[in-house]
Every structure is written in structure tokens, then in C-alpha cells.
Amino acid sequence: MNLDFKCLKCGYDKYQVATCIIPEKNNTLKLELGKYYIKTCLHCGYSEMYSAKIIAQNEKNELYEPAKS
Ligand SMILES: [Zn+2]
């Protein structure tokens, strides 16, 4: 995962990434397990969560463009 990161709270640019699995409902109301990345600011602990599925889709379709800093 190569998302640019700058903490929204304090502007720090170092982070750690954790992975977690969360049950989610799809269109047929069946439970699926969704994988998420959690980026945590190493300075203040503020965390952002990203859907691994959507990141993978965007990388495949080459639609994803990282925010320019
Ligand atoms: Zn921070």
C-alpha cells in the first residue's frame, strides 16, 4: 500500500499499518469478511481505516492516483 500519509490531527508523516478483518454484508445480505488496513499516526495515535478490497480494485484498474502533496 503506497498511500501518502500525513496525519490529519498533527501533520506527522510516520505511521504504522495494522490489518484487521471485519464482517460486512454484501448485496445478498450474506456476511463476508472484509480486510481493512488501519494506519496509525506514530505521534498522536490518530488512525485512518482503508478497505483493502477497494485499494486492490483501484490498483488493478489503474484508477487510483495518490494525492499530490
Ligand atoms: Zn498525529
Side-chain angles (χ1 to χ4, degrees):
M1 186 167 58
N2 58 354
L3 298 171
D4 286 341
F5 178 83
K6 199 165 231 186
C7 178
L8 291 175
K9 298 290 181 190
C10 72
Y12 202 66
D13 63 358
K14 292 196 170 50
Y15 59 89
Q16 65 181 16
V17 177
T19 304
C20 71
I21 304 294
I22 297 180
E24 56 187 23
K25 283 181 178 169
N26 65 15
N27 294 334
T28 61
L29 298 182
K30 263 170 42 184
L31 275 180
E32 281 190 345
L33 295 178
K35 187 168 139 192
Y36 288 80
Y37 300 118
I38 302 171
K39 295 178 109 175
T40 301
C41 171
L42 291 179
H43 183 70
C44 71
Y46 179 75
S47 300
E48 294 178 327
M49 190 180 275
Y50 297 87
S51 166
K53 187 166 64 181
I54 289 174
I55 289 174
Q57 279 173 2
N58 289 347
E59 283 176 352
K60 195 170 65 182
N61 298 332
E62 294 181 0
L63 290 176
Y64 175 73
E65 290 180 17
K68 295 183 176 68
S69 56

